Amino acid sequence: GEESMDIRTQRLCAWSGVACVVAFLAGFGLVSGFIPPPAPGASAQEIGELYRSNHVRILVGMIISMFGAAFTGPWVVAMTMQLKRIEGGLKSMSLLQLASGAVVVLEFEMCIMFWEVAGFRTDRSDESIQLINDLAFVTFIGLASTGIVQCVATAVAILKDRTVPTVLPRWAAYYNVWVALCFVPGAYNCLFHSGPIAWNGALSWWVAMIAFMSWYVVNTCV
């Protein structure tokens, strides 16, 4: 019936989270070669040469990543529907998660567009390419706040659940809090050109990226 069809649709939306991870890793990492990312301390000449030498590869990879990032939208909807079940309707936490998640989609796509612009004209000066590359990476790593709000809203909704059994397992609330904490160092990446909080650092990149990717997969499964 109509209800079973909606459940199937929600499942497809939920698994969009895994599709996002696969497409992003393929486009951003395997094709564009941005995992690991270029160092923020690299010279303008090095960044310019990176884009000129990998011009087509970077652009094609970003197009793949762009379509992958769009899968975040249905994944956020799937999460919202589960929080709606907990709250008995679209109330504060489910709406906050939806609003924050919608902004995350836009931020994700916006940063990908910056990388595409950086690779669009290979005849630009090294300094111009470096500037756009800085804009992309500082923004991508630094826009932590909306994801943090999304995680916290999810966690609060799960912890508010008084049904037996709960709609989502309580450990998922603490997991979402952990993800939120992993996002925090990235907000400070603009202060560092090297070290663990720089955009390619252990905390701002590797820990945050592992948390970010696993966040999609774990929330999809629960």
Side-chain angles (χ1 to χ4, degrees):
E2 186 176 337
E3 184 177 350
S4 62
M5 185 177 295
D6 185 59
I7 290 172
R8 287 196 297 271
T9 303
Q10 287 188 48
R11 285 201 181 103
L12 285 174
C13 287
W15 284 103
S16 294
V18 176
C20 173
V21 170
V22 172
F24 179 77
L25 291 177
F28 197 83
L30 292 178
V31 180
S32 291
F34 277 172
I35 299 179
S43 68
Q45 183 179 359
E46 289 172 324
I47 296 300
E49 183 57 33
L50 172 68
Y51 277 85
R52 293 189 189 94
S53 301
N54 300 281
H55 170 63
V56 175
R57 180 180 170 185
I58 290 172
L59 292 179
V60 171
M62 288 304 158
I63 291 170
I64 295 170
S65 298
M66 177 188 66
F67 284 105
F71 283 114
T72 299
W75 177 74
V76 169
V77 169
M79 288 295 298
T80 302
M81 295 303 290
Q82 297 311 303
L83 301 191
K84 178 185 173 185
R85 288 175 61 202
I86 293 172
E87 294 192 307
L90 282 175
K91 297 181 181 176
S92 55
M93 290 301 105
S94 52
L95 281 171
L96 182 57
Q97 194 277 149
L98 177 62
S100 300
V103 174
V104 167
V105 178
L106 293 175
E107 293 169 350
F108 211 162
E109 299 282 21
M110 176 182 66
C111 292
I112 291 169
M113 292 299 104
F114 290 158
W115 280 299
E116 288 190 8
V117 171
F120 183 60
R121 298 187 193 276
T122 55
D123 58 346
R124 279 196 178 100
S125 68
D126 292 335
E127 289 74 18
S128 295
I129 295 174
Q130 184 189 44
L131 173 62
I132 303 170
N133 181 72
D134 285 350
L135 177 62
F137 274 106
V138 170
T139 305
F140 185 62
I141 303 301
L143 280 172
S145 55
T146 44
I148 290 171
V149 171
Q150 191 182 354
C151 288
V152 172
T154 301
V156 170
I158 295 172
L159 293 174
K160 283 169 56 181
D161 192 353
R162 294 293 179 263
T163 59
V164 180
T166 55
V167 173
L168 299 176
R170 293 205 181 279
W171 63 261
Y174 302 110
Y175 168 79
N176 276 271
V177 170
W178 172 78
V179 172
L181 292 173
C182 289
F183 289 166
V184 171
Y188 300 91
N189 85 92
C190 61
L191 299 173
F192 300 91
H193 286 208
S194 62
I197 301 181
W199 77 47
N200 67 337
L203 294 178
S204 289
W205 177 263
W206 293 109
V207 171
M209 184 57 64
I210 290 169
F212 186 61
M213 296 292 103
S214 71
W215 181 43
Y216 282 74
V217 176
V218 171
N219 280 353
T220 290
C221 292
V222 299

